Amino acid sequence: MRDGLQSIATVLPTARKLAWIDAAYAAGQREIEVGSFVPARLLPQLADTAEVLAHAKTLPGLLASVLVPNFKGAERALECGADLMIVPLSASHAHSLANLRKTPDEVVAEVARIRAARDAAGSRTLIEGGVGTAFGCTLQGEVAEGEVLRLMQALLDAGADRVSLADTVGYADPASVRRLFEKARALVGERLWCAHFHDTRGMGLANVYAAWQAGITRFDACLAGIGGCPHAPGASGNVATEDLTFMLERMGVATGIDVAALLALRQRVAGGLAGETLHGALWQAGLPQNAASAALQAA
Amino acid sequence: MRDGLQSIATVLPTARKLAWIDAAYAAGQREIEVGSFVPARLLPQLADTAEVLAHAKTLPGLLASVLVPNFKGAERALECGADLMIVPLSASHAHSLANLRKTPDEVVAEVARIRAARDAAGSRTLIEGGVGTAFGCTLQGEVAEGEVLRLMQALLDAGADRVSLADTVGYADPASVRRLFEKARALVGERLWCAHFHDTRGMGLANVYAAWQAGITRFDACLAGIGGCPHAPGASGNVATEDLTFMLERMGVATGIDVAALLALRQRVAGGLAGETLHGALWQAGLPQNAASAALQAA
């Protein structure tokens, strides 16, 4: 939800967010990034993150995560008892300065402070270092694989429990995804937790498949493909959760998620986002209507 | 062009088709399916196929192909000297009867007649058997892999020079693509020529990547993702040529095609297709504007 809602003009009322979380949970989702602890003047769309998080925490077995752009945000995540806080780092120095006003290594140092605060508080909130612009950057151009791997390792060394790699601006292709994720897995194993792709140039699902082949089994996505990056001109659309789930189920990968329920939820969410550009393909074509997909629809 | 133009209401003037072919050729394309030899009353959009083919044949090194749904169409393709004629077969019996009014094995028998006519005429026109609904069917549901492989082999035994596999209705996923194409390649090797995917449920490029991993290096696509199948309700959109080419180039696969030129062509073609639903992602986001892509744009 977070990456979607922060990118659109609509400020979704809190009640609608809670209903979204409830329906996604009922459909089978067990990890949801519910918001971000940033100043409300910067992202009014996420000003109610504490309240949304409190609700998410009432759902048994749901891992409720939040984005925290800095130490101050992490303090709030710890106070509110988030299950997981995600600290974004941009492997592109130019993007890092523009987006976070810090160099990547300053973000690594911030993670060390966050880890110390977490430990001092005796909190069980997990820390994920999210390495963005891992496949290139609109500002800087190329981002060296070696630099991405170095920063990923530095985040873990600084105390992150896990890391993820993100194609923030839609520059990844399946070959580069497979190559980088295989190298990253070789370096840090299961602590490489998640892949985050945008569908900017139509390769979102191809990149998911490539990362899945490299051993990744967790993927970020947003219902209706909402989202993007305000600092990446032309970027549009996270991978759509419903399309991603359908692809994996169709491949025989059990996601635990009911695709038909997601499609119904998409329709309700879309109803509250009039005027926003939505994405995704499955909702237009619908689920396959025949014997081959009966098992899928019943699942 | 053929699969795109046959699916839309607009009847593109011949001059525009010739300009399209010229520009695609100038951009580096060296194989174009220019039309179909079907009765003009069934597909007025392709009534000028003979004229379009005659023009395409003037371009050095271009392989100009046509679809031929039956023996009569093949006779015209031979008369007109097509470089390649593609005979569609549906592995789904239900789809075959609805679409071609023949069983799959009757189509195989037709290919044997077409081969005999080709040889009798001393023609060099190649024959491709295109096995459609290879990953399932809206009418019949599941299509057994064994049946797809049997029919593919039968087409070659009947005299087809090469075969292709098509996901006519957008049911394929990357795992099924990889599995079936690997089995098919093991059976017939390089005579499995081409993969044809629709982007109905957003998996078009993921399926291309999966087939590429299985050794396939030729892919059908249509500029702006025009197309679909009139007998597959809800189906929409071939893979967009420009998106496919960009993905391959980005993966480091040399296509010989200038992506920027394709995008310019897309814009011109779209101008002549007002009111039609177009697809594709790259044209919206544009090519990456930085050092990393300078080589690509210059290529």
Side-chain angles (χ1 to χ4, degrees):
Chain A
M1 280 176 62
R2 189 274 311 167
D3 199 18
L5 293 180
Q6 79 169 43
S7 309
I8 59 178
T10 305
V11 179
L12 207 63
T14 306
R16 277 193 181 264
K17 292 185 186 176
L18 305 192
W20 180 343
I21 289 171
D22 288 348
Y25 179 80
Q29 282 186 231
R30 287 298 176 266
E31 185 165 340
I32 302 177
E33 191 179 340
V34 300
S36 179
F37 283 122
V38 285
R41 66 181 164 79
L42 292 180
L43 281 180
Q45 302 96 321
L46 305 177
D48 57 0
T49 292
E51 190 178 349
V52 175
L53 175 59
H55 176 78
K57 284 178 60 184
T58 66
L59 299 171
L62 178 67
L63 193 145
S65 67
V66 291
L67 190 91
V68 298
N70 51 33
F71 186 77
K72 205 163 195 171
E75 283 183 319
R76 294 206 61 202
L78 290 169
E79 283 162 25
C80 296
D83 296 314
L84 168 69
M85 50 184 162
I86 301 162
V87 188
L89 174 152
S90 255
S92 153
H93 288 236
H95 190 271
S96 186
L97 291 173
N99 202 27
L100 301 162
R101 297 184 193 178
K102 295 189 191 82
T103 68
D105 287 291
E106 285 169 350
V107 174
V108 170
E110 191 105 332
V111 166
R113 287 180 66 209
I114 291 171
R115 172 60 185 260
R118 192 268 305 264
D119 291 351
S123 160
R124 301 174 69 178
T125 300
L126 291 167
I127 303 167
E128 175 177 322
V131 182
T133 59
F135 296 90
C137 164
T138 44
L139 303 173
Q140 174 178 316
E142 205 160 345
V143 175
E145 279 184 2
E147 178 68 352
V148 174
L149 297 173
R150 179 186 77 78
L151 289 164
M152 186 186 70
Q153 183 65 62
L155 283 166
L156 290 169
D157 293 344
D161 300 292
R162 59 194 221 186
V163 287
S164 57
L165 297 179
D167 176 28
T168 312
V169 298
Y171 276 23
D173 67 79
S176 63
V177 167
R178 179 119 189 221
R179 193 170 59 235
L180 184 58
F181 274 90
E182 280 181 349
K183 285 181 184 173
R185 290 259 304 172
L187 202 60
V188 304
E190 296 294 326
R191 291 195 294 168
L192 176 57
W193 188 254
C194 180
H196 179 113
F197 297 116
H198 287 187
D199 196 37
T200 316
R201 290 174 178 84
M203 285 183 267
L205 291 181
N207 291 337
V208 167
Y209 177 59
W212 182 82
Q213 289 183 300
I216 303 300
T217 57
R218 287 179 173 80
F219 299 96
D220 286 346
C222 186
L223 203 72
I226 308 163
C229 174
H231 296 274
S236 69
N238 282 283
V239 167
T241 312
E242 63 276 20
D243 290 9
L244 168 61
T245 308
F246 177 72
M247 182 178 84
L248 292 173
E249 286 285 331
R250 195 84 180 169
M251 285 167 59
V253 178
T255 64
I257 299 174
D258 178 336
V259 180
L262 276 191
L263 284 175
L265 172 59
R266 184 200 197 278
Q267 196 169 5
R268 288 201 300 281
V269 167
L273 295 177
E276 302 291 352
T277 303
L278 307 182
H279 304 273
L282 183 64
W283 73 278
Q284 291 185 288
L287 290 170
Q289 296 299 324
N290 59 44
S293 63
L296 178 69
Q297 290 178 67
Chain B
M1 281 176 61
R2 188 275 310 165
D3 199 19
L5 293 180
Q6 79 170 42
S7 309
I8 58 178
T10 305
V11 178
L12 208 64
T14 305
R16 277 193 180 265
K17 293 184 187 178
L18 304 193
W20 180 342
I21 289 171
D22 288 347
Y25 178 81
Q29 282 187 231
R30 287 297 176 268
E31 184 165 341
I32 302 177
E33 192 180 339
V34 299
S36 179
F37 282 122
V38 287
R41 66 180 163 78
L42 293 181
L43 281 180
Q45 301 96 320
L46 305 177
D48 57 0
T49 291
E51 191 177 347
V52 175
L53 174 60
H55 176 77
K57 284 178 62 186
T58 66
L59 300 171
L62 178 68
L63 192 143
S65 66
V66 291
L67 191 90
V68 299
N70 50 34
F71 185 78
K72 204 162 194 172
E75 283 183 319
R76 294 206 60 204
L78 290 170
E79 283 162 25
C80 296
D83 296 312
L84 167 71
M85 53 182 159
I86 301 162
V87 188
L89 173 152
S90 255
S92 153
H93 287 236
H95 189 272
S96 186
L97 291 172
N99 202 26
L100 301 163
R101 297 185 194 178
K102 295 190 191 82
T103 67
D105 287 291
E106 285 168 352
V107 173
V108 170
E110 191 105 332
V111 166
R113 288 181 65 209
I114 291 171
R115 172 61 185 258
R118 192 267 306 261
D119 291 350
S123 161
R124 301 174 69 178
T125 300
L126 291 167
I127 303 168
E128 175 178 321
V131 181
T133 61
F135 295 90
C137 165
T138 44
L139 303 172
Q140 174 179 317
E142 206 159 344
V143 174
E145 279 184 1
E147 178 69 350
V148 173
L149 297 173
R150 178 186 77 79
L151 289 164
M152 186 186 69
Q153 183 65 61
L155 283 166
L156 291 168
D157 294 344
D161 299 292
R162 61 195 218 185
V163 287
S164 56
L165 296 179
D167 176 28
T168 312
V169 297
Y171 276 23
D173 65 80
S176 63
V177 166
R178 179 120 187 220
R179 193 170 59 236
L180 183 58
F181 273 90
E182 281 181 349
K183 285 181 185 174
R185 288 260 303 173
L187 201 61
V188 304
E190 297 292 326
R191 291 195 294 169
L192 175 57
W193 188 254
C194 180
H196 178 114
F197 298 116
H198 287 187
D199 196 36
T200 317
R201 290 174 178 83
M203 285 183 267
L205 290 181
N207 291 336
V208 167
Y209 178 58
W212 182 81
Q213 289 183 300
I216 303 300
T217 57
R218 286 180 173 80
F219 299 96
D220 286 347
C222 187
L223 202 72
I226 308 163
C229 175
H231 297 274
S236 68
N238 281 283
V239 167
T241 311
E242 63 276 20
D243 290 9
L244 168 61
T245 307
F246 177 72
M247 181 177 84
L248 292 173
E249 286 286 331
R250 195 84 180 167
M251 287 168 59
V253 179
T255 65
I257 299 174
D258 178 338
V259 179
L262 276 190
L263 284 175
L265 172 58
R266 185 200 196 276
Q267 196 169 5
R268 289 201 299 280
V269 167
L273 295 177
E276 302 290 353
T277 304
L278 307 182
H279 305 274
L282 183 63
W283 74 277
Q284 290 185 289
L287 289 170
Q289 296 300 324
N290 58 46
S293 64
L296 178 69
Q297 291 177 66

